[in-house]
Amino acid sequence: MSADIQIMGVVGLYLALSLFVGLRAGKGVSDSATGFVVGDRAMGGVLMYFVTGATIFSAFAFLGAPGWAWSRGAAAFHILAFGILGFIPFYFIGPAASRLGRKHGFVTQAELVAARLGSRPLALVMALVSLLAFIPYLALQMRGSGHVLEVLTRGAIPMQWGAALVYGVVLLYVWRSGVMGVGWTNTLQGLFMMVLAWTLGLYLPYALHGGVGPMFAKIAERDPGFLTLPGRTPDGGDWSWSSYGSSVFVMAVGFSFWPHLFQKALAAKSERVLRRTVVLYPTFQFFLLPILFIGFAGVGFDPPPEQADQILPHLLLHMDLPALVVGLFCAGALAASMSSGDAILHSAASIVVRDGWIVGFGRSLSPHAERRAVRLMLLPLLLVSYLVAAVFPVDIVGLLSYAYGPVGQLAPPVLAALFWSKATGRGALVGLVVGSMVTIWFSRFPIWPVHAGLLGLVANVVLLVSISVLAPHWGERFPRKR
Amino acid sequence: MTPRRAHLALGLFVLVAMLSLTWPLSVWFAEPLPLVLGLPRGLFTICCWAAATFVALLAYDRVLSKDREQEDA
């Protein structure tokens, strides 16, 4: 049997298993938007741990993080650093959001914030900002999955076909089972990724350098600056402390406010489940550690890959490993891509329908019709993301870092809606719009060596606070839900 | 420990951790050598912060859970 057929056999088995688990997960869930979007608010502890963990453990983890370790050295440590503190705000916002969700029937982040602050346009703008981050992020997941299949089958399956195959499976189980499909497949994918990450993360340094310690000793001896924080820039220069520190800060701030992650607070069975998930979350960082080992194992490997993101598949292809091992890696990378992509796709569809159509434009739909609308919305969103993936080349971690900029701008309005009674809808709206524009502008035209999201956050908070305090009744038109 | 002290302790922990993981305090572990348990010092320190954050959150959650149980009783 040829190697390509064996690889495709393993990948096929993995996809079939994901589909089976995803399709079965929807049994017993109500035929309503609450059932489809937040699983009738019945997610238990195990599901929450894997949903929150695997959602973050995306294509960037399996492809981007090793790429950064290989090309930028210690700069890759920031990928571990921001996740340690990033989920702590969820300990407070999660239970508060969960309580309000049960009381008022909220199923999305923007819906909750808009209702608390009495501003419908705020829901629309938050939905827009979410989509601004979601579409490239979903495209990135698709591109990652297609790319892995293309490289490991030596071009037999082109990127576009691979992405279509993998996301066809995602579409089927998200369509059938909604958030429960996302949850159970993420549990399967999370377990699979953990085993695979540690297996490859220990095996590759051992095979190429004699172990993890000898690998780092060899790199430090050859080029000590490579492992010195804050690491290197893409062109090999020294990354500045301000860029490193502000990236960790902005990504830590934005972490808990990703709308698809926040939405899981509304799906949890109880507040206790949410708190336990946050307490356990830092342990997930230990599954990212071996991913960095993989990238460092490739330092000095000859021939080098054409692009940094290709380092892992490149190593596997050039090390004469058994086709079964290559196939397992391929399935692991697809699991990483799918576990984030499915959650984003599902969340984006519910945001368009609930925040855009129902809250933003004030239209009403029956629970059954809303569920159908969310399902139908999966198709155009997937198509747009697919076109972005097929047309635009992207640097995986760079794009993720960009996406955190706009997402970080959601933090001030969410925190204000939950914990500051004097906050106004207009203050939150102006702060969010200006903060997002500042972020996008300075991402495109940087003037200081700091993450653009930090500048956006400063503008956002200043405007939110000053407008709320100085003009408390400006633009107040809708009643607030408390 | 009272919930108020637990809030303060967690706040202080997060502040120090954020400083250490971003800039000022982390300058001292920026150099990779000597390796600690086979890891560059920076990476080892970040792993220590992950473990310490888990323990800190566990302790904080225990204090608050006990307080909530007493309130419910």
Side-chain angles (χ1 to χ4, degrees), chain A residues 430-447:
Chain A
V430 175
L432 179 60
V433 170
V434 175
S436 302
M437 286 167 65
V438 167
T439 302
I440 292 167
W441 178 264
F442 286 109
S443 295
R444 186 78 186 83
F445 307 106
I447 51 168

Side-chain angles (χ1 to χ4, degrees), chain A residues 84 91-92 216 228-229 275 279, chain B residues 30 32 38 53-54 60-61 68:
Chain A
I84 294 171
Y91 188 93
F92 306 98
F216 281 121
T228 304
L229 278 166
R275 291 193 187 98
V279 170
Chain B
T53 306
F54 170 61
Y60 177 75
D61 188 53
R68 269 183 230 111

Side-chain angles (χ1 to χ4, degrees), chain A residues 206-231:
Chain A
Y206 179 79
L208 292 167
H209 304 276
V212 173
M215 170 182 78
F216 281 121
K218 204 192 282 183
I219 296 171
E221 192 183 324
R222 189 194 300 169
D223 181 4
F226 194 70
L227 293 177
T228 304
L229 278 166

Side-chain angles (χ1 to χ4, degrees), chain A residues 222-252:
Chain A
R222 189 194 300 169
D223 181 4
F226 194 70
L227 293 177
T228 304
L229 278 166
R232 299 268 165 83
T233 57
D235 53 12
D238 290 333
W239 208 21
S240 66
W241 271 112
S242 54
S243 294
Y244 178 91
S246 59
S247 290
V248 172
F249 181 78
V250 170
M251 291 171 94

Side-chain angles (χ1 to χ4, degrees), chain A residues 155-166:
Chain A
I157 301 179
M159 192 280 285
Q160 291 85 347
W161 283 103
L165 170 73
V166 172

Side-chain angles (χ1 to χ4, degrees), chain A residues 77 80 84-85 91-92 213 216-217 220 224 227-229 241 244-245 249 272 275-276 278-280 282 286 289 293, chain B residues 14 17-18 21-23 26 29-33 35 38-40 43 46-47 49-50 53-54 57-58 60-61 65 68:
Chain A
F77 299 169
L80 226 64
I84 294 171
L85 298 177
Y91 188 93
F92 306 98
F216 281 121
L227 293 177
T228 304
L229 278 166
W241 271 112
Y244 178 91
F249 181 78
R272 186 171 173 72
R275 291 193 187 98
R276 275 288 152 91
V278 177
V279 170
L280 287 172
F286 290 106
L289 188 62
F293 293 167
Chain B
V14 170
M18 184 57 94
L21 290 168
T22 52
W23 180 48
S26 49
F29 67 72
E31 291 298 325
L33 296 172
L35 299 179
L39 299 178
L43 189 55
I46 291 170
C47 291
W49 275 117
T53 306
F54 170 61
L57 283 170
L58 201 61
Y60 177 75
D61 188 53
S65 297
R68 269 183 230 111

Side-chain angles (χ1 to χ4, degrees), chain A residues 164-245:
Chain A
L165 170 73
V166 172
Y167 276 80
V169 170
V170 168
L171 178 65
L172 284 176
Y173 70 70
V174 175
W175 179 285
R176 168 76 181 83
S177 304
V179 74
M180 296 311 275
V182 171
W184 280 110
T185 51
N186 280 10
T187 305
L188 168 77
Q189 290 154 350
L191 285 168
F192 190 49
M193 287 185 293
M194 283 175 179
V195 174
L196 207 70
W198 271 107
T199 309
L200 280 175
L202 293 178
Y203 174 75
L204 290 176
Y206 179 79
L208 292 167
H209 304 276
V212 173
M215 170 182 78
F216 281 121
K218 204 192 282 183
I219 296 171
E221 192 183 324
R222 189 194 300 169
D223 181 4
F226 194 70
L227 293 177
T228 304
L229 278 166
R232 299 268 165 83
T233 57
D235 53 12
D238 290 333
W239 208 21
S240 66
W241 271 112
S242 54
S243 294
Y244 178 91

